[in-house]
Amino acid sequence: DKSISEIPFPSMGWAGFAGMTSDASDSASTKETRRSQLEYFLRRVFSGVYRGRLHPYLAEVAVHLQTFVGCDTVLSDDNDISLTLNNQVAISEATYCTRTPDASSEQERNARLHLKRSIQRCVYRLFLLPSVENLLSQFIDAAKKKVVSETTASSKKNQSNHLKVDKDKATDDVEKIREFIDSVQELILEGCEDDLISISQRRDFAALKDDCDNTKRDELFREAVREQVEIEVYVPLRSTISKHLVYAWLNDDVEMKHKMKALSKKPQSFFRIHPEHRSPSEWKSVSTILKEGVGRSTLPCVKLRAIVDAAKEITKLDSEERSYVPEESFFDGKVVTKTKALGADDFLPIFIFCFVRADIERPSALCALLQTMCDPALLNGETGYYLASFYAAMTH
């Protein structure tokens, strides 16, 4: 296709790429330039699905592109097309969701998911506008240069082999990125409100239930827009941000690794979990959500939702496993008795236990990322509460 052939392919030497021999002498800046060139090429190729004219083979091309980046298209019995991610690709909430909803909630869940995707596609098209594309490119380049220059300066000052980055400076840099994301998000939510409402009123999303003041709808708008803005802004900066935070919290995470290794084999009783709330499954589903949803997902907003999901899973699992216990009656029959309700004092020891069992890599740097990148509008709600619980579990 002529439009694809016109996209410049990375021309710098690609050592180690496509079977070529690797050149260990390549500098970090050279490798970063290569990555940026390839990223630009891939983004332009994928955007061609939206930029180009409709074509009979467009759907087939889209499937091949998805497979190329590690996504496989799955066609279910009810002809619902969905994506599954290969092991090497960061996961989404759907991967660790183990509960089977009833028919009505399943319909609403599908409607919610499809509306969210529709909103994200709408936002994605906004980022294809040349003016927005140029603005975003300038910000990303400036943010990368700033972090790289500060990291280089720190390495020159430090005489040891380990790079040291000031925590306050690292946090300040990430905060500036979050403020840019916040600004773009609010601009889209305010400027495109009528368009988003129009999309949500289509019959395809009739199964989605809302309240009288449209709170659920507006929350979904915010979630979808935030996720797409993070894809456009955070993902290109992810490597830069991660290195910055990892070096800043390196010593903390080394110490944390030893602590978690020592605690990993401890039973629930060691964490002072009340006997009535000790799980026969050892809270495996909760630990899985933390490990997969928080530890392996890419976007900060997805990680934060996984923390909330994990906290809610504790309550659900406790209710299922501990709602009723058999006891002997005076005539030797079996009766059922409700157990003690799960309170705030019972929750934290369980969350600490699950946090340890999840064995999340570099939890200190991760927690710093989530505290800094969290949408300010969510800090006073359940997301902020459970993020504080996550931090408390790590520092306890």
Side-chain angles (χ1 to χ4, degrees), residues 50-173:
Y50 289 92
R51 293 178 187 268
R53 295 180 179 180
L54 292 177
H55 189 277
Y57 294 108
L58 186 62
E60 184 178 346
V61 170
V63 169
H64 286 301
L65 288 173
Q66 291 163 2
T67 303
F68 176 72
V69 294
C71 299
D72 297 320
T73 303
V74 178
L75 186 63
S76 63
D77 295 335
D78 56 357
N79 293 327
D80 177 36
I81 297 177
S82 59
L83 295 178
T84 58
L85 300 180
N86 291 333
N87 292 332
Q88 72 270 22
V89 182
I91 66 162
S92 65
E93 295 102 315
T95 310
Y96 60 73
C97 182
T98 58
R99 296 181 176 275
T100 304
D102 55 42
S104 59
S105 62
E106 177 71 8
Q107 290 180 350
E108 185 174 3
R109 188 186 72 86
N110 287 336
R112 176 186 170 86
L113 178 61
H114 292 155
L115 175 56
K116 179 180 175 181
R117 287 177 175 172
S118 297
I119 294 170
Q120 286 188 257
R121 283 192 288 269
C122 177
V123 175
Y124 172 69
R125 287 186 174 93
L126 292 177
F127 282 97
L128 294 180
L129 295 172
S131 57
V132 178
E133 200 171 40
N134 291 335
L135 175 64
L136 182 61
S137 178
Q138 290 174 14
F139 175 81
I140 290 173
D141 289 342
K144 283 183 178 180
K145 288 178 181 177
K146 185 176 187 299
V147 173
V148 170
S149 63
E150 290 179 355
T151 304
T152 304
S154 298
S155 63
K156 288 180 179 179
K157 291 180 182 179
N158 183 29
Q159 300 299 321
S160 64
N161 293 327
H162 297 290
L163 180 63
K164 292 184 179 179
V165 178
D166 181 73
K167 290 182 180 179
D168 292 335
K169 188 172 292 186
T171 302
D172 184 61
D173 288 337

Side-chain angles (χ1 to χ4, degrees), residues 91-99 109 112 116 223 227 283-294 297 301-318 347 351 354 382-383 385-387 390:
I91 66 162
S92 65
E93 295 102 315
T95 310
Y96 60 73
C97 182
T98 58
R99 296 181 176 275
R109 188 186 72 86
R112 176 186 170 86
K116 179 180 175 181
E223 178 182 312
E227 188 164 322
W283 310 100
K284 186 175 181 180
S285 60
V286 182
S287 300
T288 299
I289 293 174
L290 289 174
K291 185 177 183 65
E292 302 292 334
V294 181
S297 58
C301 63
V302 175
K303 292 176 182 290
L304 288 164
R305 288 201 297 272
I307 290 176
V308 175
D309 290 342
K312 291 181 176 180
E313 177 69 10
I314 289 177
T315 304
K316 292 176 184 176
L317 189 61
D318 181 72
F347 172 81
F351 203 59
C354 297
E382 65 176 6
T383 300
Y385 176 80
Y386 290 125
L387 176 58
F390 185 83

Side-chain angles (χ1 to χ4, degrees), residues 263-276:
L263 294 171
S264 61
K265 301 299 182 181
K266 298 293 184 182
Q268 296 180 65
S269 58
F270 178 85
F271 296 85
R272 298 181 181 178
I273 298 176
H274 193 282
E276 287 191 34

Side-chain angles (χ1 to χ4, degrees), residues 200-217:
S200 69
Q201 290 174 340
R202 294 186 58 180
R203 287 182 298 175
D204 308 63
F205 314 121
L208 186 61
K209 298 177 182 178
D210 199 4
D211 41 33
C212 58
D213 57 355
N214 302 123
T215 302
K216 291 183 179 179
R217 183 201 68 187

